[in-house]
Amino acid sequence: MDAGQAPKPLLLAVVAALIGAVVAAIVGLLTFGVQATAEREHVPLAIELAGDAPQLRTVADRITSLSGDLVSWRVTAAGEARKLLEDKEIYGYLRLAPGTPPATAIVVSDAVNPQATLAAQGILGAVAGTLDQPGVPVQNLHSTGIAGRVAPLAASGLLWLAGMVGALLFGLLAVRRGIRAGLVSRATLTVAGSLAGVAVVAGFFRLWSDFLPLTAGVLGFLLLTALAFAAVQGALFRLLGIRAMAILGPLYLIAPAVAGTVPELLDPAYRVTLWSWTPFRFSTEGLRSLLIGTPAAPDVRTGVLVLSIMAVVGLAVLLWPGRSTGQQAQPDPADRVVPVGVDQADGLPGAEREPAVEHGDGGVRR
């Protein structure tokens, strides 16, 4: 080996180690950092006055004045707080009824993000404790159990993973075999991958709990989510090729950590840079409402709108006729076989440079 080339392996080893550390730092910042910097601020809660007694208003005013920036309170009349909770404008409420001290009850809902529900229940429980009300009853409007809390985010992650791996394998195989992916093959990959992903998720739902409904609305929303994810992934692979994994891979790691919570429990930096746009939160929250049985919730309409836009834009890029950058397959050198005859071989550059040598039997070889 040339002495001038000896340090190259050492340099490559150092560079590779530094790149690995940088990747770990970025992923740690965007995943574990979300949890490490979590803070509760302006959590939307309500106090429902189940009566017209002036005493209740006095108690409500005292509660709202002592909470600071931790809670964003709404004081409502009887029945209004429930609608706010159903629309997910609040994460829970404290019901106050006439009495000495006032009768209280905590109302939450599993239709809301699980972390938001847990935070709301903890804050409301602490507030009720200041009213000399030990053992305050907790009412859950839509109780689902552990499976119902886990399933929405799990479905989003699995559908993203199914589409990403399918598109990656298709691209690698196409390049390996020297196949140029056409419109029909790209469309088939998107549709088949979406259907297969939904089948996997539906199977897990049935395995995890008999109470997770597989209604037409739930299956339709899952299919829309799968189609939107697969279309965007396929479009990125068509434009960037294997380089698309630099975007799709981190999204799979980052988005669930952010979509699994609510903005009031995130550091403001993560709230703006990640939570505000991650597609996982639209699919997760919309699916949660459908699984709970609240299809009229606003996040269902928002999820359908956002996922539909993703699907349309992704399919437009994926199926637009023309040459694709990422999947412009080139055959391997070993596959490039050029048949040549004897006369053609004599005209090759190598043949011109090699002098003719006689064989011992009188033949001529080069």
Side-chain angles (χ1 to χ4, degrees):
M1 178 183 292
D2 188 355
Q5 296 180 350
K8 284 188 176 180
L10 296 177
L11 178 61
L12 290 176
V14 172
V15 171
L18 291 177
I19 292 176
V22 170
V23 171
I26 294 174
V27 173
L29 178 66
L30 300 179
T31 53
F32 298 109
V34 174
Q35 303 171 10
T37 60
E39 58 182 28
R40 296 183 295 182
E41 185 179 23
H42 301 298
V43 179
L45 302 174
I47 300 174
E48 181 183 76
L49 305 181
D52 298 328
Q55 175 197 17
L56 299 182
R57 173 63 64 174
T58 302
V59 173
D61 291 341
R62 179 161 62 88
I63 292 173
T64 56
S65 65
L66 296 177
S67 300
D69 293 334
L70 176 62
V71 180
S72 178
W73 289 106
R74 295 192 187 188
V75 180
T76 72
E80 295 179 6
R82 182 184 179 109
K83 186 178 187 308
L84 292 174
L85 184 57
E86 295 281 7
D87 291 340
K88 301 185 182 181
E89 294 187 32
I90 60 173
Y91 301 153
Y93 63 93
L94 183 69
R95 182 187 296 121
L96 297 180
T100 305
T104 59
I106 296 171
V107 183
V108 293
S109 172
D110 278 346
V112 181
N113 182 286
Q115 291 192 25
T117 300
L118 184 62
Q121 188 170 333
I123 295 172
L124 293 173
V127 170
T130 65
L131 303 178
D132 297 326
Q133 288 285 335
V136 177
V138 178
Q139 178 185 358
N140 194 323
L141 297 182
H142 302 284
S143 181
T144 63
I146 296 177
R149 300 187 192 104
V150 173
L153 183 57
S156 296
L158 291 173
L159 291 176
W160 183 271
L161 183 62
M164 180 177 67
V165 173
L168 175 62
L169 290 178
F170 178 76
L172 292 176
L173 291 174
V175 171
R176 175 65 181 169
R177 299 188 178 186
I179 301 172
R180 181 177 299 169
L183 185 149
V184 174
S185 59
R186 294 195 298 269
T188 301
L189 171 67
T190 303
V191 175
S194 300
L195 292 173
V198 171
V200 169
V201 171
F204 276 125
F205 280 9
R206 186 56 64 225
L207 176 66
W208 292 340
S209 174
D210 293 335
F211 297 101
L212 292 175
L214 293 177
T215 62
V218 170
L219 292 175
F221 192 87
L222 286 173
L223 184 59
L224 176 61
T225 301
L227 184 63
F229 287 177
V232 169
Q233 292 165 342
L236 286 175
F237 271 109
R238 187 184 185 194
L239 295 174
L240 304 177
I242 191 65
R243 294 183 296 274
M245 284 300 298
I247 299 174
L248 300 177
L251 272 178
Y252 175 70
L253 298 174
I254 296 168
V258 179
T261 186
V262 287
E264 293 82 7
L265 305 183
L266 288 173
D267 182 272
Y270 290 111
R271 190 183 310 166
V272 174
T273 58
L274 292 180
W275 184 89
S276 60
W277 59 267
T278 177
F280 280 74
R281 75 177 179 94
F282 300 104
S283 59
T284 299
E285 296 304 326
L287 180 59
R288 178 175 289 113
S289 292
L290 291 172
L291 290 174
I292 299 302
T294 56
D299 51 17
V300 176
R301 295 190 297 271
T302 303
V304 169
L305 177 61
V306 172
L307 293 171
S308 297
I309 293 174
M310 290 176 59
V312 170
V313 174
L315 288 173
V317 175
L318 183 63
L319 303 180
W320 191 267
R323 298 169 65 89
S324 61
T325 302
Q327 293 181 350
Q328 183 68 31
Q330 296 293 337
D332 291 338
D335 297 331
R336 295 175 182 172
V337 180
V338 182
V340 294
V342 176
D343 295 338
Q344 290 175 309
D346 290 338
L348 294 176
E352 295 176 358
R353 292 194 298 266
E354 297 177 4
V357 180
E358 289 187 2
H359 281 288
D361 58 0
V364 178
R365 67 178 177 85
R366 294 191 184 276

